Amino acid sequence: AQSVTQLDSQVPVFEEAPVELRCNYSSSVSVYLFWYVQYPNQGLQLLLKYLSGSTLVKGINGFEAEFNKSQTSFHLRKPSVHISDTAEYFCAVSERGSYIPTFGRGTSLIVHP
Amino acid sequence: DGGITQSPKYLFRKEGQNVTLSCEQNLNHDAMYWYRQDPGQGLRLIYYSQIVNDFQKGDIAEGYSVSREKKESFPLTVTSAQKNPTAFYLCASSTPGLAGGDTQYFGPGTRLTVL
């Protein structure tokens, strides 16, 4: 069975600083990896996903993530955050052959002016 | 615009009453899902459906029921058997490929409060 661990429940950062949100997963088979963002009282929307190929994946709003198979990680990064990036971020994994993802518990990114 | 709608956005019910949450999509997606979100617990899968007239239990199906009579609709009923129904409920849809890796598209959610 797959599982996802988001190592930080909350990440405070100042505007224009870089940020990294950490995600580790466990699975016995090959996986697909996702990052979703949720703004307050809204549904989730896809930021980016890794299916295959290049391990560095670029997404919307200037975010990127790197798949590291040996460390079973898929950390999300942004070089310079804005106030508008304040939101909840969810990492998700699904095993190849299954379309049901498992979500992490989420990381709350709080950007201070 | 294509998307997923959930109604109502806020719902209040008395303890012991059944309540049905609506989810409609016009994305022509085959699969639909219901998740429950509680603070600090991420998203937990309640039910999912790959095709009309078929659905499967997720991780926390007890106290919930669903139907899938039309491709575009997947209503969720929270029954009186659900011990702690107050939560934020999210509906999603996708078009599953053969190998998976599909993006899920989410509705705006319904916040249910049981008094």
Side-chain angles (χ1 to χ4, degrees):
Chain A
Q2 67 220 26
S3 67
V4 180
T5 302
Q6 291 185 242
L7 296 158
D8 306 294
S9 59
Q10 205 171 80
V11 173
V13 64
F14 287 107
E15 194 173 19
E16 297 184 7
V19 70
E20 178 179 85
L21 306 183
R22 298 180 292 169
C23 173
N24 286 88
Y25 69 92
S26 67
S27 175
S28 56
V29 300
S30 297
V31 297
Y32 300 117
L33 295 154
F34 308 80
W35 275 100
Y36 287 85
V37 60
Q38 182 182 34
Y39 298 103
N41 291 312
Q42 294 185 27
L44 281 67
Q45 65 181 89
L46 182 72
L47 270 180
L48 49 79
K49 65 181 179 181
Y50 171 79
L51 301 183
S52 64
S54 173
T55 56
L56 183 62
V57 181
K58 293 190 184 297
I60 61 171
N61 301 340
F63 284 93
E64 63 181 32
E66 186 156 19
F67 170 55
N68 187 317
K69 188 175 181 179
S70 62
Q71 297 188 4
T72 60
S73 68
F74 191 54
H75 300 334
L76 181 70
R77 302 185 183 101
K78 187 170 182 178
S80 175
V81 294
H82 302 129
I83 294 286
S84 59
D85 292 322
T86 294
E88 192 84 12
Y89 291 81
F90 291 93
C91 182
V93 61
S94 65
E95 295 181 339
R96 298 201 176 206
S98 167
Y99 58 90
I100 306 296
T102 297
F103 287 84
R105 296 191 171 202
T107 296
S108 178
L109 175 63
I110 303 168
V111 181
H112 297 286
Chain B
D1 275 343
I4 300 180
T5 56
Q6 292 185 243
S7 61
K9 190 161 181 66
Y10 299 95
L11 189 55
F12 297 89
R13 279 295 182 268
K14 292 183 179 179
E15 195 171 338
Q17 289 182 332
N18 290 359
V19 60
T20 298
L21 282 58
S22 167
C23 177
E24 303 278 330
Q25 56 101 356
N26 61 5
L27 299 168
N28 200 32
H29 285 171
D30 293 310
M32 296 187 74
Y33 314 78
W34 273 105
Y35 292 94
R36 172 181 171 139
Q37 184 178 16
D38 296 282
Q41 295 201 45
L43 276 67
R44 293 183 290 169
L45 183 65
I46 305 172
Y47 268 98
Y48 64 99
S49 167
Q50 296 175 257
I51 196 169
V52 174
N53 292 323
D54 187 49
F55 47 83
Q56 282 78 43
K57 294 181 179 180
D59 300 320
I60 56 164
E62 184 175 349
Y64 299 97
S65 66
V66 294
S67 63
R68 186 86 187 275
E69 297 176 2
K70 298 185 297 182
K71 186 176 183 177
E72 56 270 23
S73 179
F74 191 41
L76 173 74
T77 296
V78 184
T79 75
S80 56
Q82 168 49 234
K83 296 190 187 315
N84 185 18
T86 294
F88 190 52
Y89 290 87
L90 287 161
C91 179
S93 70
S94 72
T95 298
L98 289 174
D102 314 292
T103 299
Q104 295 205 332
Y105 295 81
F106 285 82
T110 292
R111 188 167 297 280
L112 173 64
T113 302
V114 176
L115 306 171

